[in-house]
Amino acid sequence: MYKAIGYAYEQAIKTINWAKDGKSFLDNGTEVRISSFKKNYIICVSAEYFVIIPSEINKYVTIDEKTKIIPYVVNIYDFEIVTNECKTIDEFWDYLDFRMKNADVVSGVDELDIFGFYKKRGNVKISVEDLMILNYTLEFDRKYSALDKERFKKV
């Protein structure tokens, strides 16, 4: 488990530090420098379904002391739904802020439960009463199951 999440996180930290140090990247042979950015996010997307690990990330990854960035760990299928359901890029960034703000307290079995909570309540600090976030996934499951059935009818 650590390898899947830990290596991706460590690589992202190195990349952020590289950019902050003013070093360049190559893009199709062209040297590119990222000179300014307001905020950094680390997104670790996996084909694996890690169940509760993304909502208890501090147990699996040592957060870098310099950047203090908490990674957003998600499987590719939930990531697709989250990005489809965010109406704007700013809403997606706000969701990542919500995840980082609540990383120490959020407990959900499914990423879509956590995302559904965010969609209903917004970028709030989760209270003790909300610690077990459940029953938000069903809405997404129904919607995307119906969409999948429509897609496969056309194939």
Side-chain angles (χ1 to χ4, degrees):
M1 283 184 275
Y2 175 77
K3 287 180 183 178
I5 300 167
Y7 290 151
Y9 179 74
E10 289 171 6
Q11 183 62 42
I13 292 296
K14 289 177 187 176
T15 303
I16 289 167
N17 290 333
W18 183 272
K20 283 183 175 181
D21 290 342
K23 296 178 181 172
S24 63
F25 298 89
L26 287 179
D27 182 19
N28 293 324
T30 303
E31 196 170 302
V32 177
R33 288 191 201 289
I34 303 170
S35 58
S36 67
F37 33 89
K38 294 177 185 175
K39 198 160 190 175
N40 297 294
Y41 298 95
I42 295 175
I43 302 171
C44 301
V45 181
S46 172
E48 302 292 324
Y49 180 64
F50 290 115
V51 189
I52 202 161
I53 293 171
S55 62
E56 294 182 344
I57 195 65
N58 291 326
K59 293 181 181 177
Y60 300 94
V61 173
T62 303
I63 303 303
D64 181 72
E65 285 299 315
K66 184 178 173 187
T67 64
K68 299 195 185 319
I69 299 171
I70 299 168
Y72 171 52
V73 179
V74 63
N75 71 64
I76 189 71
Y77 308 106
D78 289 349
F79 187 63
E80 179 182 27
I81 292 171
V82 168
T83 55
N84 284 339
E85 292 293 321
C86 287
K87 293 177 177 39
T88 65
I89 189 67
D90 289 331
E91 183 181 16
F92 179 66
W93 301 139
D94 191 59
Y95 177 62
L96 293 183
D97 288 336
F98 165 80
R99 291 286 286 157
M100 285 195 287
K101 178 191 321 184
N102 292 293
D104 59 335
V105 295
V106 72
S107 181
V109 175
D110 190 303
E111 174 63 23
L112 298 179
D113 280 327
I114 299 166
F115 181 67
F117 178 91
Y118 164 82
K119 290 292 276 184
K120 299 280 188 219
R121 305 274 292 279
N123 189 349
V124 298
K125 183 70 177 157
I126 296 174
S127 67
V128 174
E129 295 83 37
D130 298 319
L131 285 181
M132 274 308 285
I133 297 171
L134 299 171
N135 300 323
Y136 291 96
T137 299
L138 187 57
E139 178 182 331
F140 297 114
D141 286 347
R142 286 182 181 148
K143 178 179 179 178
Y144 286 90
S145 288
L147 287 173
D148 284 345
K149 286 178 186 175
E150 287 300 313
R151 283 185 204 149
F152 289 118
K153 280 183 188 176
K154 295 176 184 177
V155 176

Short mmCIF file of all heavy atoms in Angstrom, two decimals, residues 103-138:
data_model
loop_
_atom_site.label_atom_id
_atom_site.label_comp_id
_atom_site.label_asym_id
_atom_site.label_seq_id
_atom_site.Cartn_x
_atom_site.Cartn_y
_atom_site.Cartn_z
N ALA A 103 -8.62 16.24 6.45
CA ALA A 103 -7.89 14.97 6.35
C ALA A 103 -7.68 14.29 7.70
O ALA A 103 -7.65 13.07 7.79
CB ALA A 103 -6.54 15.19 5.67
N ASP A 104 -7.58 15.08 8.74
CA ASP A 104 -7.34 14.49 10.07
C ASP A 104 -8.59 13.96 10.74
O ASP A 104 -8.50 13.20 11.70
CB ASP A 104 -6.66 15.51 10.98
CG ASP A 104 -7.47 16.78 11.17
OD1 ASP A 104 -8.29 17.12 10.29
OD2 ASP A 104 -7.29 17.44 12.21
N VAL A 105 -9.77 14.31 10.23
CA VAL A 105 -11.00 13.86 10.89
C VAL A 105 -11.95 13.07 9.99
O VAL A 105 -12.80 12.35 10.49
CB VAL A 105 -11.80 15.05 11.50
CG1 VAL A 105 -11.03 15.68 12.63
CG2 VAL A 105 -12.20 16.05 10.45
N VAL A 106 -11.83 13.20 8.70
CA VAL A 106 -12.81 12.57 7.81
C VAL A 106 -12.63 11.06 7.81
O VAL A 106 -11.53 10.54 7.85
CB VAL A 106 -12.72 13.13 6.37
CG1 VAL A 106 -11.47 12.65 5.67
CG2 VAL A 106 -13.93 12.77 5.56
N SER A 107 -13.76 10.39 7.84
CA SER A 107 -13.74 8.93 7.77
C SER A 107 -14.89 8.50 6.88
O SER A 107 -16.05 8.66 7.22
CB SER A 107 -13.90 8.33 9.17
OG SER A 107 -13.88 6.93 9.07
N GLY A 108 -14.56 8.00 5.74
CA GLY A 108 -15.58 7.54 4.81
C GLY A 108 -15.10 6.26 4.16
O GLY A 108 -13.92 6.08 3.91
N VAL A 109 -15.99 5.40 3.88
CA VAL A 109 -15.62 4.15 3.23
C VAL A 109 -15.42 4.38 1.75
O VAL A 109 -14.64 3.72 1.10
CB VAL A 109 -16.72 3.08 3.47
CG1 VAL A 109 -16.42 1.82 2.72
CG2 VAL A 109 -16.85 2.81 4.95
N ASP A 110 -16.06 5.37 1.20
CA ASP A 110 -16.06 5.60 -0.23
C ASP A 110 -15.76 7.07 -0.52
O ASP A 110 -16.33 7.96 0.12
CB ASP A 110 -17.44 5.21 -0.78
CG ASP A 110 -17.48 5.17 -2.28
OD1 ASP A 110 -17.17 6.19 -2.91
OD2 ASP A 110 -17.86 4.12 -2.82
N GLU A 111 -14.90 7.33 -1.47
CA GLU A 111 -14.58 8.70 -1.86
C GLU A 111 -15.84 9.47 -2.24
O GLU A 111 -15.97 10.66 -1.96
CB GLU A 111 -13.60 8.70 -3.04
CG GLU A 111 -13.32 10.06 -3.62
CD GLU A 111 -12.63 11.00 -2.63
OE1 GLU A 111 -11.99 10.53 -1.68
OE2 GLU A 111 -12.75 12.21 -2.82
N LEU A 112 -16.78 8.79 -2.87
CA LEU A 112 -17.98 9.48 -3.31
C LEU A 112 -18.89 9.87 -2.14
O LEU A 112 -19.66 10.82 -2.25
CB LEU A 112 -18.73 8.64 -4.34
CG LEU A 112 -17.93 8.38 -5.62
CD1 LEU A 112 -18.73 7.52 -6.58
CD2 LEU A 112 -17.47 9.68 -6.27
N ASP A 113 -18.78 9.18 -1.01
CA ASP A 113 -19.48 9.63 0.20
C ASP A 113 -18.90 10.97 0.66
O ASP A 113 -19.64 11.89 1.01
CB ASP A 113 -19.35 8.61 1.34
CG ASP A 113 -20.32 7.45 1.22
OD1 ASP A 113 -21.44 7.67 0.71
OD2 ASP A 113 -19.96 6.34 1.64
N ILE A 114 -17.59 11.06 0.64
CA ILE A 114 -16.93 12.30 1.07
C ILE A 114 -17.26 13.43 0.09
O ILE A 114 -17.60 14.55 0.50
CB ILE A 114 -15.41 12.09 1.19
CG1 ILE A 114 -15.11 11.01 2.23
CG2 ILE A 114 -14.70 13.40 1.54
CD1 ILE A 114 -13.69 10.49 2.19
N PHE A 115 -17.20 13.13 -1.20
CA PHE A 115 -17.52 14.14 -2.21
C PHE A 115 -18.99 14.57 -2.13
O PHE A 115 -19.30 15.75 -2.24
CB PHE A 115 -17.18 13.62 -3.61
CG PHE A 115 -17.45 14.62 -4.69
CD1 PHE A 115 -16.69 15.78 -4.79
CD2 PHE A 115 -18.45 14.40 -5.62
CE1 PHE A 115 -16.94 16.71 -5.80
CE2 PHE A 115 -18.71 15.31 -6.63
CZ PHE A 115 -17.94 16.48 -6.72
N GLY A 116 -19.87 13.60 -1.92
CA GLY A 116 -21.30 13.92 -1.78
C GLY A 116 -21.56 14.82 -0.58
O GLY A 116 -22.37 15.75 -0.65
N PHE A 117 -20.86 14.55 0.51
CA PHE A 117 -20.97 15.41 1.70
C PHE A 117 -20.54 16.83 1.33
O PHE A 117 -21.22 17.81 1.67
CB PHE A 117 -20.09 14.85 2.82
CG PHE A 117 -20.10 15.69 4.08
CD1 PHE A 117 -21.02 15.43 5.08
CD2 PHE A 117 -19.20 16.73 4.26
CE1 PHE A 117 -21.04 16.20 6.24
CE2 PHE A 117 -19.21 17.49 5.41
CZ PHE A 117 -20.13 17.24 6.40
N TYR A 118 -19.42 16.96 0.63
CA TYR A 118 -18.94 18.27 0.20
C TYR A 118 -19.98 18.98 -0.69
O TYR A 118 -20.25 20.17 -0.51
CB TYR A 118 -17.61 18.14 -0.55
CG TYR A 118 -17.25 19.36 -1.35
CD1 TYR A 118 -16.65 20.45 -0.73
CD2 TYR A 118 -17.51 19.43 -2.71
CE1 TYR A 118 -16.34 21.59 -1.46
CE2 TYR A 118 -17.20 20.56 -3.44
CZ TYR A 118 -16.62 21.64 -2.81
OH TYR A 118 -16.33 22.77 -3.53
N LYS A 119 -20.55 18.24 -1.64
CA LYS A 119 -21.53 18.85 -2.55
C LYS A 119 -22.76 19.35 -1.80
O LYS A 119 -23.33 20.37 -2.16
CB LYS A 119 -21.95 17.85 -3.64
CG LYS A 119 -20.87 17.54 -4.65
CD LYS A 119 -20.52 18.72 -5.53
CE LYS A 119 -21.47 18.84 -6.69
NZ LYS A 119 -21.11 19.91 -7.62
N LYS A 120 -23.15 18.63 -0.76
CA LYS A 120 -24.34 19.03 0.02
C LYS A 120 -24.03 20.14 1.03
O LYS A 120 -24.86 21.02 1.26
CB LYS A 120 -24.93 17.83 0.76
CG LYS A 120 -25.39 16.72 -0.11
CD LYS A 120 -26.74 17.00 -0.70
CE LYS A 120 -27.22 15.74 -1.41
NZ LYS A 120 -27.90 15.96 -2.63
N ARG A 121 -22.85 20.10 1.63
CA ARG A 121 -22.54 21.00 2.75
C ARG A 121 -21.51 22.07 2.44
O ARG A 121 -21.36 23.02 3.19
CB ARG A 121 -22.05 20.18 3.95
CG ARG A 121 -23.01 19.07 4.40
CD ARG A 121 -24.08 19.51 5.35
NE ARG A 121 -23.61 19.88 6.64
CZ ARG A 121 -23.30 19.06 7.63
NH1 ARG A 121 -23.42 17.76 7.46
NH2 ARG A 121 -22.87 19.53 8.77
N GLY A 122 -20.74 21.89 1.36
CA GLY A 122 -19.72 22.87 1.01
C GLY A 122 -18.40 22.64 1.74
O GLY A 122 -18.20 21.62 2.40
N ASN A 123 -17.53 23.60 1.62
CA ASN A 123 -16.18 23.50 2.18
C ASN A 123 -16.20 23.91 3.65
O ASN A 123 -15.80 25.00 4.02
CB ASN A 123 -15.22 24.38 1.38
CG ASN A 123 -13.78 24.17 1.77
OD1 ASN A 123 -13.47 23.52 2.76
ND2 ASN A 123 -12.88 24.74 1.00
N VAL A 124 -16.70 22.99 4.47
CA VAL A 124 -16.83 23.25 5.91
C VAL A 124 -15.85 22.37 6.68
O VAL A 124 -15.39 21.35 6.18
CB VAL A 124 -18.27 22.96 6.41
CG1 VAL A 124 -19.27 23.86 5.72
CG2 VAL A 124 -18.63 21.50 6.20
N LYS A 125 -15.53 22.78 7.87
CA LYS A 125 -14.76 21.92 8.78
C LYS A 125 -15.75 20.91 9.34
O LYS A 125 -16.81 21.27 9.85
CB LYS A 125 -14.12 22.75 9.90
CG LYS A 125 -13.26 21.95 10.83
CD LYS A 125 -11.98 21.47 10.16
CE LYS A 125 -11.10 20.73 11.17
NZ LYS A 125 -10.18 19.82 10.53
N ILE A 126 -15.42 19.65 9.24
CA ILE A 126 -16.33 18.59 9.67
C ILE A 126 -16.37 18.53 11.19
O ILE A 126 -15.35 18.54 11.85
CB ILE A 126 -15.91 17.24 9.07
CG1 ILE A 126 -16.05 17.31 7.55
CG2 ILE A 126 -16.75 16.11 9.63
CD1 ILE A 126 -15.52 16.10 6.84
N SER A 127 -17.59 18.42 11.70
CA SER A 127 -17.76 18.34 13.15
C SER A 127 -17.78 16.88 13.60
O SER A 127 -17.84 15.97 12.79
CB SER A 127 -19.08 19.01 13.56
OG SER A 127 -20.17 18.26 13.05
N VAL A 128 -17.74 16.69 14.90
CA VAL A 128 -17.74 15.34 15.49
C VAL A 128 -18.97 14.55 15.05
O VAL A 128 -18.89 13.36 14.77
CB VAL A 128 -17.67 15.43 17.04
CG1 VAL A 128 -17.81 14.06 17.66
CG2 VAL A 128 -16.38 16.09 17.47
N GLU A 129 -20.11 15.21 14.92
CA GLU A 129 -21.34 14.52 14.53
C GLU A 129 -21.27 13.96 13.11
O GLU A 129 -22.00 13.05 12.75
CB GLU A 129 -22.55 15.47 14.62
CG GLU A 129 -22.90 15.94 16.01
CD GLU A 129 -22.05 17.15 16.44
OE1 GLU A 129 -21.74 18.02 15.61
OE2 GLU A 129 -21.67 17.19 17.62
N ASP A 130 -20.38 14.52 12.29
CA ASP A 130 -20.29 14.12 10.89
C ASP A 130 -19.17 13.13 10.61
O ASP A 130 -18.90 12.83 9.45
CB ASP A 130 -20.04 15.37 10.02
CG ASP A 130 -21.15 16.37 10.10
OD1 ASP A 130 -22.32 15.96 10.11
OD2 ASP A 130 -20.84 17.58 10.15
N LEU A 131 -18.51 12.62 11.62
CA LEU A 131 -17.30 11.83 11.41
C LEU A 131 -17.50 10.62 10.50
O LEU A 131 -16.63 10.27 9.73
CB LEU A 131 -16.67 11.40 12.73
CG LEU A 131 -15.94 12.52 13.46
CD1 LEU A 131 -15.34 12.00 14.76
CD2 LEU A 131 -14.85 13.13 12.61
N MET A 132 -18.61 9.93 10.61
CA MET A 132 -18.88 8.82 9.69
C MET A 132 -19.77 9.34 8.57
O MET A 132 -20.97 9.46 8.72
CB MET A 132 -19.54 7.65 10.40
CG MET A 132 -18.56 6.71 11.06
SD MET A 132 -17.24 6.11 9.99
CE MET A 132 -18.07 4.92 8.99
N ILE A 133 -19.14 9.66 7.46
CA ILE A 133 -19.86 10.20 6.31
C ILE A 133 -20.34 9.02 5.46
O ILE A 133 -19.53 8.29 4.90
CB ILE A 133 -18.93 11.11 5.49
CG1 ILE A 133 -18.50 12.30 6.33
CG2 ILE A 133 -19.59 11.55 4.20
CD1 ILE A 133 -17.42 13.13 5.68
N LEU A 134 -21.65 8.85 5.40
CA LEU A 134 -22.23 7.74 4.65
C LEU A 134 -23.45 8.20 3.87
O LEU A 134 -23.98 9.28 4.10
CB LEU A 134 -22.64 6.61 5.60
CG LEU A 134 -21.52 5.97 6.42
CD1 LEU A 134 -22.10 5.04 7.47
CD2 LEU A 134 -20.57 5.22 5.52
N ASN A 135 -23.90 7.35 2.98
CA ASN A 135 -25.16 7.51 2.25
C ASN A 135 -25.16 8.59 1.18
O ASN A 135 -26.22 9.01 0.75
CB ASN A 135 -26.33 7.73 3.23
CG ASN A 135 -26.49 6.58 4.17
OD1 ASN A 135 -26.31 5.43 3.78
ND2 ASN A 135 -26.81 6.87 5.42
N TYR A 136 -24.01 9.05 0.75
CA TYR A 136 -23.96 10.01 -0.35
C TYR A 136 -23.63 9.33 -1.67
O TYR A 136 -23.91 9.87 -2.73
CB TYR A 136 -22.93 11.11 -0.07
CG TYR A 136 -23.33 12.02 1.06
CD1 TYR A 136 -22.86 11.81 2.35
CD2 TYR A 136 -24.16 13.11 0.83
CE1 TYR A 136 -23.22 12.66 3.38
CE2 TYR A 136 -24.53 13.96 1.86
CZ TYR A 136 -24.05 13.73 3.14
OH TYR A 136 -24.41 14.57 4.16
N THR A 137 -23.07 8.15 -1.62
CA THR A 137 -22.62 7.46 -2.83
C THR A 137 -23.78 6.99 -3.70
O THR A 137 -23.66 6.99 -4.93
CB THR A 137 -21.75 6.24 -2.45
OG1 THR A 137 -20.62 6.72 -1.74
CG2 THR A 137 -21.27 5.48 -3.66
N LEU A 138 -24.88 6.62 -3.11
CA LEU A 138 -25.99 6.04 -3.85
C LEU A 138 -26.44 6.92 -5.01
O LEU A 138 -26.71 6.43 -6.11
CB LEU A 138 -27.17 5.77 -2.90
CG LEU A 138 -28.35 5.01 -3.49
CD1 LEU A 138 -27.89 3.66 -4.05
CD2 LEU A 138 -29.41 4.80 -2.43
#
